[in-house]
Amino acid sequence: MEVKHIFRQCLNIHKKCAYPGFGSRSRFQEILFNGSGLGAVHRLQNSRRYSTGTVSSLEREAIPLPKEARVVICGGGILGSSVAYHLTERGWTDIVLLEQGSLTCGTTWHSAGMIGQLRGNTIEMEMVRYSRNLYKRLEEEGHGLGWKECGSVNLARTHDRMIDFRRKHALASATGLEVHMLTPHEIKQMCPLLKSDDLEGGIWIPSDGAVTAPDVAMVFSKLAKDKGVKILEGVMVEKIQIQNDVVKGVKTSAGTINCEYFVNCAGQWAREVGKRSVPKVRVPLHSCEHYYLVTKPLEKVDRMMPVIRDQDGYIYSREWNGGILAGGFEPVSKPVFHTGVPDKFEFQLLQEDWDHFQILLEQILHRFPFLEDAEIRQLINGPESFTPDSNWILGESAEVDNYYVAAGMNSRGIVGSGGIGKYMAEWIIDGEPSIDLWQYDVRRYVDHHNNRQFLQDRMREVLGTQYILRYPRDDYKTGRKLRTSPLHTRLEVAGACFGETMAYERPMWFDPDKRERGEDVYIHQGSFKKPDWFEIAQEEYMACKERVCLIDMSSFAKFEIKSSGKEALDYLQYLCSNNIALEPGSIIHTGMQNVLGGFENDCSIARIGKNFFFMICPATQQTRALSWLQRNLPADGSVQVRDVTSMYSGINVIGPHAQQLLADVTDVSTTKKDFNVMTCKIIDVGHAGGITAMRLTHAGEDGFILYIPSEYALHVYDTLMNAGKDYGIRNAGYYAIRHLRIEKSFAYWGLDLDAHTTPLECGREFRVKFDGKDFIGKDALIKQRKEGVSQKFVQFMLENFDVDNDVWPWGEEPIFRNGRYVGNTSTCGYGFTLDRMICLGFISDYDENGQPKINPNMNDYVMDKNAIYEIDIAGTKYSAKPGIHTPKLALSSVDPSLLASLHR
Amino acid sequence: MLKCVRHYISKKHKGQIDIVKEWMKTSSGTARHFSVGSHSNDRSNPSIFTVGSRHYKGLDDSQSPRLTPHQVTTILRLNETSIEENNGAIRGFETNQLRSNNPIEDRRGEAKLPHGNKYLFGVYDGHAGCACAQALNERLFNYLAVALSPSEVVERVKNGEIDLDKELLHWYHGGVEYRHSELRELYDKSLRKFARENLTNFSDDQYVPDILMQAFLRLDEDIGSEALPVTTNSVLNGNTSSVLNTELLTIAFAGAVACVAYIDGTDMFVANVGDCRAVLGVNKGADNWEAKELTQQHDANNESEVNRILKQHPNESNNVIKNGRLFGDLAPFRAFGDVRYKWHAKDLKHIMNTNRFPHSFISVYGDKLLPNNYNTPPYLIAEPEIKYHQLSPKDKFLVLASDGLWDMISPEKVIQLVAGHMDGRQVLVNFDLPRENMTLGAINQLLTQRKKSFANKTVDSNVATHLIRNAIGQDHLQLSAQLTLPNSISRFYRDDITVTVVFFDSDYIMDNVT
């Protein structure tokens, strides 16, 4: 009923707005489409000849280059303009924006300008929703950026795409975005021009819309300029001057500016700009050809026609000047500018490759049969930059303090720029954005991500993944098998099925039959429902619980921290919230908090010697952790920090037999009395020596992680495998660990925890040493202890969940308490001991404005006996039982001393 | 006349090619030279070599390639030529050769008669060395040109007033490379004589097949008579030099088969002697192609040839064809040269008695120069079988090739490959909208058509190279192995390959077919 009503509304709008002219037609469109069309645009005829832009976007004023500025922004596209605008909104106005050509002349000017708010996670959804609201407001204030609220309809050709829509529908509606699922019939009614008889359905977002992209950028720059930002066109950044790893100034083609902050918003040039400093700053992105066509005006096309996305056909379309603009993201793209983006590429396009575009054209005609007779106005091939994981690159660089990056938009620049500008301004001014942007953080990369050959290979795939249906935990197929542990080949033969993190290939589970079936062991068919590895993960899980398994943990980031005196200890005490000052030979789990008390990192630190520490943290922390460690180093150079990730392989010997197995192959006693939990020793295994053995497993089971100098790793592995035969030893993968720890409600950094969650919010107060030492974030945590927290980490067990047939929770499912939205799941998995589907996640008590309330009795709020929890998985709400402690049953591991095998 | 002569080996690549040439030289261990009576041809001496133990050192080529893909491509393209003509029925042609024997025993020639749209395309496959094939390449087109040209041209030939290489014929890709310029005087003299006799018998309404036949037979006759010592040596006016003699004898005792296509407007004649083949690619609509053979191979597989020989030598059936070869020795049943099967026994005996140098052309035969039971020569003829074909708009191209190609792939496959190559070549050119204001539907139709062609996109832009690549190997390993076979065994894996593909202009044929 409701849906139909809205349809009517929509149709009315259509009538009202039928052809009110072409709206605000910007000068950029004129560049694109006026005159002879083809002639006016400076097209790149071949890779060597570039024509020079003759069209200037603004009347260039001869502003002299200022000597000083607080912030220098490099790049006059929509990102640079937005960052400038949002900084002025926060009161910073001593800003210089440098553009090597003319404003918007890079890629902004040829962006399609579609504003779609339906995203796969809450963070991005929040950012683009901010953008959309901002554009709408600016339009209403008379700024003329071509905003029209035409709504958008995404189409599903497959059942799985419908599941994807339902998951997004659940997330969107829980967080207040109006969305409606559509049947093919409803789609037909709404958009009679498109072919709908082959559709499964669709989803409608009425508040979506479209803008004229360059106009948005021009409005941002105008507003910023009004507040005092100096915008200089035709000025190129030549060198970013760095002193002691802090930004000091910018050398430009027009002279030098001293500045405190530098923001690299150089779009597809950002990677090159990143190289113009010492040290260099990694900005891994690569340009690809991106195509859309524009037809001549068509009678049938209404100006308020909703934006249509037919992602299963790789295509999108919107109304444009009375005609249709239609383009897409083909499955295999064409990377360009491999050897560098030309400096002069103003208002230019690339030579169109019709053959390459055909796959999209075919789909466009399939979906919009009426376009068969439409005449082409122009085919646009404009380069856009993409990143290795298809996420934006934002934040402060790991290499240089006060050096910020906002680039790599992956064709989501116009829709993202508002939100990105807002949070970048927070990041620069407050040192931290108010929401967690780890998935977009420039520090998520390591060097190999910036390898040009890798980028080129990966980009062939990334462009297409904008639209191709991605299943949970999908890995990329290109650029794989780069970092492998010394055990890799052995594990491959043993049937390992690999997944990638930080380019490291990790065995996720073992299925020797998969290879025999002729299937790829690196690429796995995804699923929203029970995955094909489920039964195997269960076996491996049980083997970890009841016998003994080896798990390759080599991908973990590893660091050595040492000093000659007690400086290293003091340093770590200040960085860590837990007490590091234990006896040598002990290990401590600790967070490293930021000033807000949030987890900058979550790690295990072994005190190997009095002034020598070995630190383990998640693989994804490799760059970020090192950056954090280095930034906080004492200035006198007394403490040395070294990334030793590649030097050591890690083998997790996990399970009740681990103690005896290790005893069989080493000379030290492994009994709990001699080798207690959370302690470490340097031991021999087989013929190999120098192995750091730690009694912990990161999964709550008994066992040891052996950190082995890499050349001994294979020997140690073989020794353990041989010795373990009679213990029923087997290989296990990451899914075993994941299920073990999810069941025990152990939170993992990067998956459950981030810079915006504190130890007190996830039940880890016991790991915070409040007394007798000072550490970063202590004040914030003391305040929380006193006043209470605003969110709480909770484990939910789903009731009535059919594990075989229902759509699984994979994270980002909305959680409801008494019918009210209180948060999202973070990680989920099946509890094989509890026999329940388990979801972890943070929940909050939101006030009327959607702000989380601080609650001194958060635990009572969570565990309130009358509270009814539900989790919405793709449209089905499951009741869920909350818990804030590890379930006792999950801890019921058997004491190895009681096992019969020990009495042989 | 030549609108565009493109040698695919551009200057830019020359350095690389020199390196490969050098490399080929050293790897084969033999400098290129004009070998006399090369031993490496099983066509005349099947028993001389056996596939003995292979003395490979180092890696197994069948497991790890000796050549890089770039080297393979460079070697394959070494001799390729593409000519765009766009004149009359001829749109252009592409040729290439790949050697197995060292030096190669195949030859080829392409030329245009300056008077009218007349073209000659020839493929020659020598045996017992390359001497005879070389002589054919140097001479056959001249004989044909004399026979086919107007009388005023022949008159000038007779009087020695014409530059044969420039005025009688327009040769492509640099013309003929003469091996022995000292023989040219003798050749010219013979040609002038032929021209003179031709003028006496000249008439305007001569039947073209007869003209071609005459030229073929006359050349073979001249090759024999020039080599016969004492009796015909008088043409040399007493300047008898034993070197010259030896060269002429070498040519005559060697042999060669020939296949020549003569195209005049929309008339095409194919004259064939031996086992080269000419196959026409006929498009029967859409992707349906017919391989129309215009030649018959003259060898033991050809029943009518066997019958012809047995009929001519009625009481020698046990002897004259053994193991599918003439006297158990020679595979083709028609050939130029090979005077061992043409001359009188007394002449052969005379040669045996006067040429006793160990390295001479006949030393390989030893005492067997005269075949056993050599009773009723000649056993071998150079008389061509001539086929006339009126070009139709469906005829898209003609493939002329030595048996080195046909041994590896069938005519049907060859036609398919060429057709696919033509299709794939279309997409090498970037697509531009053919006109303004096109509808999306029309554009999509054009692009869909091109998309099909993408499947046929090939590595080699030269179709002859494309054929050779497909003939000798399916993958890089195979190609590398085939191209690095030692000289001593190469011939057991494959023969020299020569391919010429002539493309026809269907529009011209449509307008001019009578």
Side-chain angles (χ1 to χ4, degrees):
Chain A
M1 280 301 283
E2 195 190 29
V3 173
K4 274 193 187 145
H5 173 66
I6 290 159
F7 280 162
R8 221 166 293 130
Q9 265 190 336
C10 184
L11 291 171
N12 287 339
I13 291 169
H14 283 202
K15 268 181 211 145
K16 247 186 277 171
C17 303
Y19 257 93
F22 290 156
S24 72
R25 237 175 73 171
S26 81
R27 55 198 313 157
F28 306 98
Q29 287 170 265
E30 287 173 30
I31 297 167
L32 259 180
F33 303 116
N34 268 12
S36 63
L38 295 167
V41 181
H42 305 285
R43 251 183 309 166
L44 188 63
Q45 292 301 332
N46 61 45
S47 58
R48 282 188 203 86
R49 210 173 68 227
Y50 307 107
S51 53
T52 324
T54 53
V55 188
S56 177
S57 52
L58 280 182
E59 292 298 309
R60 271 191 202 169
E61 300 163 48
I63 311 174
L65 191 80
K67 290 260 177 303
E68 288 193 350
R70 192 164 195 189
V71 184
V72 171
I73 298 170
C74 170
I78 195 157
L79 258 293
S81 318
S82 176
V83 171
Y85 164 79
H86 281 94
L87 283 170
T88 61
E89 288 290 291
R90 287 282 308 265
W92 283 29
T93 52
D94 185 11
I95 298 165
V96 171
L97 189 153
L98 304 174
E99 162 58 47
Q100 61 174 349
S102 313
L103 291 177
T104 76
C105 76
T107 56
T108 301
W109 72 282
H110 61 66
S111 297
M114 299 173 305
I115 307 300
Q117 301 166 82
L118 194 67
R119 303 285 152 180
N121 67 74
T122 36
I123 298 290
E124 192 161 327
M125 203 120 74
E126 195 168 327
M127 292 172 85
V128 300
R129 195 183 313 178
Y130 169 83
S131 297
R132 179 260 178 203
N133 291 341
L134 176 64
Y135 302 159
K136 184 180 157 82
R137 179 170 62 86
L138 290 174
E139 183 75 32
E140 282 163 3
E141 289 170 4
H143 288 295
L145 23 71
W147 164 258
K148 60 171 179 181
E149 196 166 330
C150 54
S152 60
V153 175
N154 296 0
L155 309 175
R157 295 192 190 185
T158 66
H159 183 64
D160 277 5
R161 178 71 74 178
M162 281 303 277
I163 294 177
D164 181 51
F165 285 170
R166 284 196 199 97
R167 283 165 50 84
K168 285 175 176 153
H169 180 275
L171 190 59
S173 32
T175 51
L177 177 66
E178 182 191 336
V179 284
H180 304 279
M181 298 300 294
L182 300 177
T183 64
H185 181 68
E186 288 167 332
I187 293 168
K188 186 81 197 171
Q189 279 192 319
M190 209 169 163
C191 321
L193 290 177
L194 62 78
K195 176 181 159 73
S196 56
D197 53 11
D198 60 341
L199 296 174
E200 287 274 327
I203 188 167
W204 178 37
I205 309 99
S207 60
D208 273 2
V211 292
T212 307
D215 289 0
V216 180
M218 295 312 288
V219 168
F220 278 147
S221 9
K222 183 185 167 293
L223 293 175
K225 204 170 153 191
D226 291 348
K227 292 220 175 151
V229 173
K230 296 181 185 67
I231 296 175
L232 284 86
E233 298 182 89
V235 177
M236 186 190 280
V237 168
E238 291 175 349
K239 189 104 195 157
I240 297 92
Q241 296 170 332
I242 313 285
Q243 205 173 22
N244 297 329
D245 295 341
V246 183
V247 170
K248 274 287 161 280
V250 179
K251 186 168 167 288
T252 77
S253 55
T256 302
I257 317 175
N258 293 325
C259 66
E260 279 178 59
Y261 295 90
F262 177 75
V263 192
N264 181 351
C265 296
Q268 58 178 345
W269 287 267
R271 184 177 179 275
E272 301 294 320
V273 170
K275 292 200 276 188
R276 293 180 196 161
S277 60
V278 183
K280 291 175 186 171
V281 169
R282 272 190 295 262
V283 188
L285 49 80
H286 197 294
S287 304
C288 285
E289 297 190 355
H290 174 55
Y291 287 84
Y292 63 80
L293 61 76
V294 183
T295 70
K296 293 183 177 168
L298 296 160
E299 249 176 56
K300 287 178 182 167
V301 175
D302 190 301
R303 197 184 96 84
M304 291 305 282
M305 179 192 117
V307 170
I308 305 287
R309 295 183 190 83
D310 179 6
Q311 288 148 307
D312 294 319
Y314 329 122
I315 55 161
Y316 60 76
S317 75
R318 62 166 289 195
E319 181 273 347
W320 186 270
N321 277 357
I324 290 281
L325 180 158
F329 299 98
E330 63 279 13
V332 180
S333 77
K334 269 178 82 178
V336 281
F337 298 146
H338 183 57
T339 50
V341 188
D343 288 338
K344 276 270 173 206
F345 195 74
E346 298 178 41
F347 300 113
Q348 284 183 57
L349 297 172
L350 298 162
Q351 174 79 43
E352 65 274 71
D353 178 347
W354 279 96
D355 295 313
H356 189 73
F357 180 67
Q358 195 272 340
I359 182 169
L360 298 177
L361 178 58
E362 191 169 45
Q363 296 296 331
I364 290 166
L365 293 177
H366 172 81
R367 190 53 61 209
F368 303 99
F370 80 103
L371 287 180
E372 284 274 347
D373 300 324
E375 282 183 22
I376 178 115
R377 190 166 186 173
Q378 196 181 348
L379 177 66
I380 310 288
N381 176 13
E384 303 232 347
S385 55
F386 293 82
T387 62
D389 51 5
S390 185
N391 274 340
W392 299 321
I393 304 178
L394 309 177
E396 189 177 12
S397 77
E399 295 89 348
V400 182
D401 283 11
N402 293 355
Y403 186 126
Y404 285 80
V405 181
M409 289 298 113
N410 294 277
S411 276
R412 308 198 297 276
I414 308 307
V415 66
S417 75
I420 292 171
K422 175 187 174 194
Y423 293 108
M424 283 300 292
E426 289 180 358
W427 216 326
I428 293 165
I429 294 169
D430 307 332
E432 193 76 48
S434 59
I435 54 177
D436 189 73
L437 297 179
W438 171 234
Q439 58 185 319
Y440 310 109
D441 197 311
V442 63
R443 293 170 296 173
R444 73 189 184 273
Y445 294 120
V446 285
D447 268 339
H448 99 271
H449 287 116
N450 210 26
N451 174 299
R452 199 142 56 177
Q453 199 67 48
F454 164 80
L455 284 169
Q456 189 187 30
D457 284 352
R458 174 61 62 86
M459 284 326 128
R460 286 185 220 287
E461 185 183 1
V462 167
L463 180 131
T465 58
Q466 308 306 313
Y467 275 10
I468 282 176
L469 183 61
R470 303 272 290 163
Y471 289 96
R473 296 178 199 167
D474 254 6
D475 282 324
Y476 286 92
K477 302 172 178 67
T478 48
R480 294 287 300 276
K481 282 193 259 186
L482 183 58
R483 298 172 81 188
T484 56
S485 91
L487 309 178
H488 185 82
T489 313
R490 240 345 161 267
L491 302 178
E492 207 177 19
V493 170
C497 299
F498 294 95
E500 181 226 312
T501 185
M502 298 294 266
Y504 221 114
E505 296 294 348
R506 305 189 300 183
M508 305 307 286
W509 74 95
F510 284 80
D511 180 6
D513 295 339
K514 190 167 161 87
R515 184 191 287 270
E516 269 168 38
R517 290 196 299 269
E519 294 171 26
D520 198 310
V521 296
Y522 294 88
I523 300 160
H524 315 293
Q525 175 57 45
S527 163
F528 288 113
K529 297 188 174 180
K530 189 177 84 169
D532 55 3
W533 44 259
F534 180 68
E535 275 79 19
I536 293 172
Q538 178 170 18
E539 281 177 32
E540 292 175 7
Y541 166 102
M542 292 316 293
C544 291
K545 276 246 174 200
E546 294 178 352
R547 292 183 181 79
V548 61
C549 289
L550 299 186
I551 304 176
D552 183 2
M553 309 281 273
S554 304
S555 64
F556 274 23
K558 312 167 198 85
F559 300 91
E560 282 177 1
I561 299 125
K562 53 179 139 185
S563 60
S564 50
K566 61 189 276 286
E567 296 89 346
L569 177 65
D570 292 345
Y571 162 74
L572 285 175
Q573 283 288 49
Y574 184 63
L575 251 57
C576 301
S577 47
N578 208 343
N579 184 21
I580 311 299
L582 302 174
E583 282 304 301
S586 42
I587 310 169
I588 194 86
H589 287 315
T590 179
M592 288 189 180
Q593 317 313 131
N594 53 33
V595 284
L596 302 169
F599 279 99
E600 190 62 28
N601 192 358
D602 185 30
C603 47
S604 307
I605 296 179
R607 190 172 186 184
I608 306 283
K610 207 161 163 244
N611 300 310
F612 180 27
F613 300 86
F614 192 83
M615 176 179 140
I616 314 294
C617 49
T620 51
Q621 272 274 2
Q622 193 172 354
T623 296
R624 181 176 184 152
L626 184 63
S627 163
W628 186 253
L629 288 172
Q630 281 175 338
R631 265 171 205 215
N632 291 292
L633 277 176
D636 59 9
S638 56
V639 177
Q640 288 93 51
V641 171
R642 202 154 69 108
D643 177 357
V644 293
T645 303
S646 300
M647 282 175 61
Y648 295 97
S649 302
I651 299 178
N652 195 346
V653 189
I654 179 172
H657 298 334
Q659 174 177 313
Q660 187 57 40
L661 172 61
L662 191 60
D664 289 355
V665 293
T666 189
D667 302 327
V668 301
S669 165
T670 60
T671 61
K672 283 223 170 100
K673 189 166 122 306
D674 298 321
F675 199 151
N676 202 358
V677 172
M678 295 304 283
T679 64
C680 71
K681 290 181 199 297
I682 309 289
I683 63 168
D684 295 344
V685 173
H687 305 169
I691 292 153
T692 308
M694 305 184 181
R695 190 152 198 163
L696 61 98
T697 59
H698 298 298
E701 299 298 317
D702 189 27
F704 302 83
I705 299 188
L706 309 179
Y707 287 100
I708 312 157
S710 278
E711 66 265 40
Y712 297 139
L714 205 54
H715 174 80
V716 171
Y717 175 83
D718 287 345
T719 304
L720 288 166
M721 266 295 169
N722 283 330
K725 270 181 195 148
D726 294 342
Y727 298 92
I729 197 167
R730 59 176 291 166
N731 289 301
Y734 264 77
Y735 284 143
I737 293 204
R738 179 171 300 195
H739 287 91
L740 286 164
R741 69 99 184 166
I742 286 175
E743 194 170 41
K744 296 187 187 76
S745 195
F746 288 4
Y748 266 28
W749 192 93
L751 298 169
D752 309 295
L753 306 178
D754 57 39
H756 290 79
T757 51
T758 72
L760 277 69
E761 293 161 358
C762 65
R764 291 197 184 166
E765 196 174 335
F766 70 97
R767 284 190 191 161
V768 179
K769 171 87 172 153
F770 282 107
D771 309 323
K773 75 164 208 168
D774 192 19
F775 62 90
I776 301 173
K778 185 176 174 182
D779 294 345
L781 294 183
I782 287 174
K783 187 163 176 275
Q784 270 198 338
R785 189 165 62 163
K786 207 157 66 192
E787 296 174 4
V789 295
S790 59
Q791 57 181 352
K792 185 75 192 177
F793 188 64
V794 184
Q795 184 192 48
F796 291 98
M797 280 184 243
L798 299 189
E799 310 287 338
N800 303 321
F801 184 83
D802 179 348
V803 72
D804 292 315
N805 299 309
D806 289 353
V807 174
W808 274 32
W810 295 97
E812 291 286 341
E813 282 80 17
I815 304 167
F816 297 89
R817 184 181 181 275
N818 296 334
R820 278 185 60 218
Y821 168 72
V822 289
N824 298 317
T825 63
S826 50
T827 48
C828 309
Y830 198 75
F832 293 109
T833 300
L834 303 173
D835 222 7
R836 284 281 187 289
M837 180 57 79
I838 292 171
C839 304
L840 305 179
F842 281 91
I843 67 163
S844 296
D845 183 8
Y846 290 103
D847 64 18
E848 295 74 28
N849 302 320
Q851 292 305 308
K853 288 190 275 193
I854 291 171
N855 189 334
N857 301 309
M858 196 65 184
N859 288 359
D860 297 344
Y861 171 77
V862 171
M863 298 306 292
D864 184 346
K865 284 222 160 41
N866 298 319
I868 295 164
Y869 286 95
E870 285 172 309
I871 295 179
D872 185 338
I873 304 171
T876 306
K877 282 186 177 171
Y878 295 89
S879 45
K881 202 168 138 267
I884 48 175
H885 301 292
T886 302
K888 282 210 172 60
L889 189 60
L891 277 180
S892 65
S893 294
V894 188
D895 190 328
S897 60
L898 297 176
L899 284 166
S901 60
L902 291 184
H903 301 291
R904 275 174 308 175
Chain B
M1 278 295 175
L2 304 189
K3 278 187 186 153
C4 171
V5 178
R6 270 179 302 147
H7 286 260
Y8 272 85
I9 300 165
S10 65
K11 270 186 184 160
K12 196 171 74 180
H13 295 123
K14 208 161 177 308
Q16 175 69 28
I17 282 154
D18 289 343
I19 292 166
V20 174
K21 272 184 179 161
E22 189 58 32
W23 173 86
M24 287 179 76
K25 209 157 113 187
T26 50
S27 81
S28 67
T30 319
R32 288 168 71 92
H33 63 280
F34 183 55
S35 108
V36 177
S38 168
H39 296 192
S40 51
N41 192 322
D42 79 323
R43 201 188 292 241
S44 56
N45 292 290
S47 58
I48 290 177
F49 297 100
T50 52
V51 187
S53 54
R54 293 165 56 173
H55 296 290
Y56 275 137
K57 276 180 186 156
L59 298 170
D60 182 354
D61 286 18
S62 65
Q63 296 300 317
S64 79
R66 196 179 287 257
L67 299 178
T68 65
H70 185 76
Q71 283 174 318
V72 163
T73 298
T74 309
I75 293 169
L76 288 177
R77 293 183 182 173
L78 210 51
N79 298 309
E80 72 178 18
T81 307
S82 299
I83 304 287
E84 217 177 288
E85 184 71 15
N86 293 322
N87 183 21
I90 309 296
R91 249 181 45 213
F93 65 89
E94 304 195 332
T95 72
N96 197 358
Q97 286 186 307
L98 181 70
R99 72 164 186 80
S100 174
N101 294 303
N102 189 12
I104 185 170
E105 297 180 355
D106 278 6
R107 292 293 184 273
R108 63 157 205 264
E110 302 85 30
K112 181 179 170 184
L113 299 179
H115 309 279
N117 295 329
K118 300 173 182 177
Y119 289 86
L120 288 169
F121 299 96
V123 168
Y124 318 107
D125 181 354
H127 48 263
C130 59
C132 188
Q134 175 66 25
L136 287 192
N137 199 30
E138 293 171 12
R139 307 179 71 179
L140 184 57
F141 278 16
N142 286 336
Y143 277 68
L144 288 165
V146 163
L148 291 163
S149 293
S151 56
E152 59 272 19
V153 176
V154 183
E155 181 74 31
R156 292 177 63 208
V157 173
K158 186 195 82 180
N159 300 335
E161 294 164 356
I162 197 165
D163 182 339
L164 296 177
D165 294 341
K166 294 207 172 78
E167 293 172 83
L168 184 63
L169 287 164
H170 284 302
W171 290 90
Y172 292 94
H173 55 89
V176 178
E177 199 184 324
Y178 290 93
R179 293 295 189 187
H180 287 276
S181 47
E182 56 266 45
L183 287 180
R184 290 213 59 188
E185 202 186 324
L186 172 67
Y187 288 174
D188 289 357
K189 200 168 240 169
S190 299
L191 187 67
R192 286 201 294 275
K193 194 166 166 241
F194 178 51
R196 189 163 59 239
E197 290 170 22
N198 223 288
L199 281 174
T200 24
N201 304 329
F202 191 83
S203 83
D204 278 333
D205 53 354
Q206 258 182 302
Y207 187 46
V208 175
D210 291 348
I211 297 174
L212 300 175
M213 173 88 72
Q214 202 190 350
F216 270 63
L217 291 175
R218 178 54 177 260
L219 175 59
D220 191 49
E221 212 175 291
D222 285 354
I223 288 171
S225 57
E226 286 158 7
L228 246 188
V230 191
T231 48
T232 49
N233 222 359
S234 57
V235 290
L236 294 170
N237 284 334
N239 289 336
T240 314
S241 118
S242 61
V243 176
L244 271 183
N245 233 327
T246 310
E247 291 307 332
L248 290 169
L249 283 167
T250 304
I251 292 166
F253 273 84
V257 297
C259 184
V260 174
Y262 167 60
I263 298 160
D264 176 7
T266 58
D267 294 327
M268 177 162 75
F269 301 87
V270 176
N272 184 46
V273 174
D275 54 8
C276 290
R277 287 160 96 167
V279 180
L280 192 64
V282 184
N283 186 258
K284 308 222 128 182
D287 295 335
N288 184 10
W289 289 83
E290 186 201 356
K292 182 169 178 162
E293 299 209 40
L294 300 177
T295 49
Q296 298 195 57
Q297 284 165 285
H298 302 128
D299 58 21
N301 298 322
N302 182 339
E303 204 180 327
S304 66
E305 277 298 286
V306 173
N307 292 338
R308 174 180 66 80
I309 289 174
L310 295 181
K311 203 170 157 193
Q312 280 169 5
H313 310 280
N315 301 317
E316 298 172 64
S317 57
N318 296 337
N319 179 48
V320 69
I321 299 174
K322 279 196 296 202
N323 303 327
R325 288 164 182 265
L326 205 59
F327 289 94
D329 195 13
L330 189 67
F333 287 178
R334 299 190 192 196
F336 284 88
D338 286 318
V339 292
R340 265 184 87 208
Y341 309 103
K342 290 177 181 168
W343 282 356
H344 292 296
K346 69 172 170 52
D347 290 332
L348 292 174
K349 278 180 191 149
H350 174 72
I351 298 293
M352 277 167 72
N353 294 334
T354 49
N355 271 280
R356 290 234 169 261
F357 311 107
H359 299 298
S360 85
F361 60 96
I362 56 167
S363 63
V364 292
Y365 301 108
D367 295 337
K368 299 249 167 74
L369 181 67
L370 187 65
N372 291 333
N373 304 314
Y374 189 78
N375 299 324
T376 55
Y379 292 91
L380 189 66
I381 57 170
E383 180 188 316
E385 241 183 306
I386 296 170
K387 175 118 183 167
Y388 168 72
H389 179 83
Q390 161 102 60
L391 286 173
S392 98
K394 287 175 187 281
D395 302 333
K396 303 299 180 189
F397 54 86
L398 174 75
V399 182
L400 282 178
S402 59
D403 64 341
L405 181 75
W406 308 112
D407 287 349
M408 310 297 254
I409 40 178
S410 68
E412 290 71 28
K413 177 79 185 160
V414 165
I415 297 309
Q416 244 175 33
L417 284 167
V418 177
H421 190 267
M422 284 170 72
D423 187 31
R425 192 148 50 177
Q426 300 167 15
V427 296
L428 294 175
V429 183
N430 201 40
F431 179 84
D432 265 328
L433 290 187
R435 55 182 190 277
E436 299 266 311
N437 306 329
M438 281 189 77
T439 65
L440 297 184
I443 295 171
N444 191 41
Q445 228 168 23
L446 287 176
L447 293 173
T448 311
Q449 193 53 43
R450 274 170 69 84
K451 201 165 149 191
K452 280 188 203 145
S453 307
F454 268 103
N456 286 318
K457 206 173 158 185
T458 57
V459 188
D460 306 297
S461 60
N462 183 298
V463 70
T465 311
H466 178 61
L467 285 174
I468 292 174
R469 186 188 291 272
N470 278 279
I472 67 170
Q474 300 304 310
D475 56 24
H476 177 66
L477 263 175
Q478 231 177 347
L479 283 166
S480 168
Q482 282 276 9
L483 293 176
T484 49
L485 292 169
N487 279 332
S488 53
I489 63 161
S490 173
R491 190 56 192 80
F492 297 100
Y493 287 85
R494 58 178 174 84
D495 199 351
D496 296 331
I497 301 176
T498 300
V499 187
T500 300
V501 181
V502 183
F503 294 100
F504 299 121
D505 184 339
S506 302
D507 292 341
Y508 174 89
I509 295 171
M510 186 106 68
D511 294 343
N512 290 278
V513 80
T514 45

